[in-house]
Amino acid sequence: MAVDLLERWMHSMPVLDKGFIRFVDCMPRNVAEGETMDDAIVRAARVSYGKGTLRVTNDRGLIRYLMRHRHTTPFEMAEFTFHVKCPIFVARQWMRHRTGSFNEVSARYSVLPEEFYVAEAHDVRRQSLLNKQGRDGAFEAGEANDILFAMRSNMAQTHAEYHHLLGKDLSRELARTVLPVSTYTEFYWKVDLLNLLKFLHLRTHKHAQMEIAAYGFEINGILSWLAPHTMEAYQDYWVEAPSLSSGMWMAVLRTISESDRKAMVDVFKSMDAGRREVREFAEMLGIDEE
């Protein structure tokens, strides 16, 4: 099963209209032998070799503890390499995550093919009035199709001009400057798990641009199998956990009675939370938990 999934991910998974993402490699490479990347994180955290005699449930608890208390160094011990094909405007957002290593196709050396990103009609939307970097509000079908026609025409024209300039023996490094940011590019990306989670947290957020989010969701699916305990903890403590200021938290505590706080701890216990986490929750609420 492990080998079958790895082989599937090592084939290009389509994203957007002409893009893809392909899982290339990971370190350590014991996944096909029945391990997960969680095992590497646990070994690093314990500074020992092998899994020893500890149970999987203890491994899960340790990973949740590390994530909850921001002891993040062990998550840097797992690394991944991906091959990505995406529009240039997506790549520029991607490469703002400078903690990874990138190697991108060079248009100084290579002639770029005529491949441009064109949005689906239902994704052609108006400028959001609330979010200056987002879209909101649909066009009528006829308007959307007119916009897409204009965009395709412009892209075809710029690519024709690109080849016209190359035909005049203009250098590739200058001819490429006429191409739009919708042009597809490719790159290899190597990144550790901690910084990959930071990428996912930002780029799959509801306010992220949908084009880069599409790649993030594919990566999320891969990691959910390769590092299930880590992704469970990431979901619980990063994605779904509220972020409160000290003032917000004090307002919560001043509103809730002591009996209600105790009831909250009891409810949390019933949710199969670990004893350590229950104790920490009780401490946050100012309740003595024996």
Side-chain angles (χ1 to χ4, degrees), residues 165-177:
L165 294 172
L166 291 174
K168 287 183 171 292
D169 202 29
L170 179 66
S171 63
R172 288 186 289 272
E173 67 180 5
L174 283 179
R176 64 179 175 166
T177 62

Side-chain angles (χ1 to χ4, degrees), residues 8-284:
R8 179 171 67 85
W9 287 328
M10 286 179 173
H11 289 83
S12 300
M13 294 179 289
V15 186
L16 303 182
D17 58 345
K18 304 176 189 70
F20 63 74
I21 187 163
R22 183 170 66 88
F23 171 74
V24 176
D25 201 1
C26 63
M27 191 288 292
R29 300 182 180 180
N30 299 330
V31 178
E33 300 172 9
E35 288 198 354
T36 69
M37 301 303 277
D38 291 329
D39 294 289
I41 295 161
V42 167
R43 280 198 296 269
R46 294 193 175 112
V47 198
S48 62
Y49 297 95
K51 292 191 292 185
T53 59
L54 294 174
R55 297 173 300 170
V56 172
T57 51
N58 288 339
D59 290 350
R60 174 179 177 271
L62 176 57
I63 285 173
R64 293 180 66 83
Y65 177 86
L66 295 171
M67 190 74 74
R68 189 164 68 250
H69 291 277
R70 302 181 185 179
H71 297 316
T72 54
T73 303
F75 298 103
E76 297 178 21
M77 302 302 158
E79 292 186 332
F80 302 85
T81 302
F82 298 95
H83 179 192
V84 180
K85 179 180 179 182
C86 65
I88 288 175
F89 70 87
V90 170
R92 295 303 160 258
Q93 291 184 37
W94 206 310
M95 292 178 186
R96 291 180 64 83
H97 298 265
R98 296 180 297 276
T99 49
S101 298
F102 296 90
N103 192 39
E104 186 178 8
V105 64
S106 174
R108 294 182 67 197
Y109 293 95
S110 306
V111 175
L112 297 182
E114 187 174 358
E115 292 185 306
F116 304 102
Y117 168 68
V118 181
E120 297 289 339
H122 57 78
D123 293 324
V124 177
R125 307 182 75 81
R126 301 179 187 276
Q127 173 63 46
S128 171
L129 298 177
L130 300 177
N131 182 356
K132 292 184 179 180
Q133 59 179 6
R135 69 189 89 167
D136 188 26
F139 287 94
E140 295 292 334
E143 288 182 285
N145 288 329
D146 288 344
I147 291 169
L148 288 173
F149 177 80
M151 294 173 76
R152 290 191 187 95
S153 297
N154 175 264
M155 294 170 193
Q157 180 179 346
T158 55
H159 194 82
E161 186 63 30
Y162 171 61
H163 277 279
H164 174 72
L165 294 172
L166 291 174
K168 287 183 171 292
D169 202 29
L170 179 66
S171 63
R172 288 186 289 272
E173 67 180 5
L174 283 179
R176 64 179 175 166
T177 62
V178 304
L179 294 173
V181 293
S182 59
T183 306
Y184 271 89
T185 185
E186 294 186 35
F187 59 87
Y188 265 55
W189 181 43
K190 182 172 74 70
V191 63
D192 66 64
L193 180 54
L194 173 62
N195 286 292
L196 184 48
L197 293 178
K198 291 179 179 179
F199 171 87
L200 293 177
H201 194 229
L202 182 63
R203 299 305 178 181
T204 60
H205 189 272
K206 64 181 179 179
H207 293 310
Q209 185 164 352
M210 58 153 287
E211 284 81 6
I212 194 168
Y215 290 87
F217 289 129
E218 290 290 343
I219 295 172
N220 195 92
I222 295 173
L223 293 186
S224 294
W225 183 80
L226 289 176
H229 293 328
T230 297
M231 293 307 290
E232 177 195 38
Y234 160 74
Q235 193 71 25
D236 283 350
Y237 300 122
W238 286 26
V239 178
E240 297 181 1
S243 179
L244 301 179
S245 67
S246 59
M248 291 176 182
W249 183 239
M250 287 305 299
V252 170
L253 293 180
R254 291 176 182 179
T255 304
I256 303 174
S257 67
E258 183 174 351
S259 61
D260 286 338
R261 295 182 198 180
K262 290 181 178 179
M264 291 170 66
V265 173
D266 290 337
V267 170
F268 192 49
K269 282 182 183 178
S270 70
M271 298 168 64
D272 294 326
R275 285 180 296 177
R276 184 196 295 270
E277 194 167 0
V278 170
R279 185 170 63 250
E280 291 173 0
F281 183 50
E283 290 174 357
M284 289 173 60

